Amino acid sequence: MTDTPTRVALITGGSGGIGRAVAERLAQDGIAVGVHYAGNKARADETVAAITAAGGRAIPVGGDVADEHEMAAAFDAVEAEFGGLDVVVNTAGIMALSPIATMNLDDLDRMHRTNIRGTFVVSQQAARRVRAGGAIINFSTTVTRTKFPTYGGYVASKAAVEAITLVLARELRGKDITVNTVAPGPTATPLFLDGKDEATVQNLAMASPLERLGTPDDIAESVAFLAGPARWINGQVLYANGGLA
């Protein structure tokens, strides 16, 4: 009797926030994990250490998600270490908020380089490499529905992510690979909490019928579902927001 081959995942932005929760959650399911970081290797090392201390397998891999050569190298490293690739979760992203009328276009370009080009580059590599039975999971935002002011540039980048996802799901016809997007609502991460006063945070928490913010672990459960048992969900946007919208 042969052992079942280990499933392998690469998590971009896996060094903190939602990305770290996703990496640790997939490791709980026995998936070997490549923990990607852009600039903070120490945080990626902490995530790897937490996974290995719990009995899992993980390695750190660096690179700019918008650079196709650096991402090809990151994918190569994960495949060389674990023998293949089954799940790619693209949590890497940045958020710059401003009214459309006054937004700094350099901020817009920087955000779109990471969120749109980065998602495209990672999706391109994933489409070439993920094995049959695998899953590609990108990240959008519930603000594509709630349409909060000052999120115009950010929502534009995430609407593009959703479009890339839906097209790629159809382009991979016959390969037994699912492609979906998770769209979190307000989630208690440093990215979300930065710059918000307590009243704003509380108002957003109470906006959901569940009357709380989401947690990184909440979002990670959605990813684990799409990465594992949810084989009949494909080409969809999954709103993980507690009923906010």
Side-chain angles (χ1 to χ4, degrees):
M1 183 175 178
T2 58
D3 292 334
T4 301
T6 300
R7 282 170 64 79
V8 180
L10 171 61
I11 317 299
T12 72
S15 61
I18 290 173
R20 176 169 178 165
V22 167
E24 293 182 350
R25 178 63 183 81
L26 294 186
Q28 289 174 19
D29 286 342
I31 298 175
V33 180
V35 179
H36 162 269
Y37 63 94
N40 195 330
K41 185 176 186 298
R43 288 177 63 190
D45 287 339
E46 289 173 6
T47 304
V48 168
I51 290 170
T52 55
R57 300 171 66 197
I59 60 168
V61 290
D64 174 1
V65 290
D67 185 307
E68 64 271 31
H69 304 294
E70 293 186 12
M71 280 300 97
F75 275 72
D76 286 345
V78 174
E79 290 179 333
E81 179 70 20
F82 298 123
L85 195 58
D86 303 283
V87 178
V88 173
V89 186
N90 193 28
T91 75
I94 59 176
M95 180 169 64
L97 303 182
S98 169
I100 291 170
T102 56
M103 185 158 203
N104 183 305
L105 294 182
D106 288 339
D107 289 341
L108 181 72
D109 289 343
R110 179 172 56 87
M111 183 165 56
H112 284 198
R113 183 180 184 276
T114 295
N115 296 359
I116 299 177
R117 181 184 168 93
T119 295
F120 198 99
V121 166
V122 171
S123 294
Q124 186 177 70
Q125 288 292 328
R128 296 169 179 172
R129 298 178 187 241
V130 168
R131 296 183 286 206
I136 301 168
I137 303 162
N138 289 319
F139 265 71
S140 180
T141 172
T142 290
V143 188
T144 57
R145 285 186 170 184
T146 57
K147 303 175 182 65
F148 295 144
T150 75
Y151 281 77
Y154 180 67
V155 166
S157 73
K158 292 304 187 177
V161 168
E162 293 183 13
I164 291 166
T165 298
L166 303 183
V167 170
L168 183 58
R170 287 148 183 83
E171 291 181 346
L172 294 182
R173 171 182 291 273
K175 295 184 180 295
D176 190 24
I177 298 169
T178 62
V179 191
N180 293 289
T181 290
V182 173
T187 304
T189 66
L191 178 69
F192 170 78
L193 296 172
D194 183 44
K196 294 181 175 68
D197 60 30
E198 183 62 26
T200 299
V201 171
Q202 284 303 309
N203 286 339
L204 287 166
M206 295 303 292
S208 161
L210 298 180
E211 297 186 342
R212 66 174 178 85
L213 295 177
T215 67
D217 288 343
D218 290 325
I219 310 307
E221 285 295 337
S222 300
V223 174
F225 176 60
L226 294 174
R231 298 306 303 165
W232 196 233
I233 299 178
N234 189 28
Q236 304 299 317
V237 179
L238 178 62
Y239 289 89
N241 60 30
L244 175 64

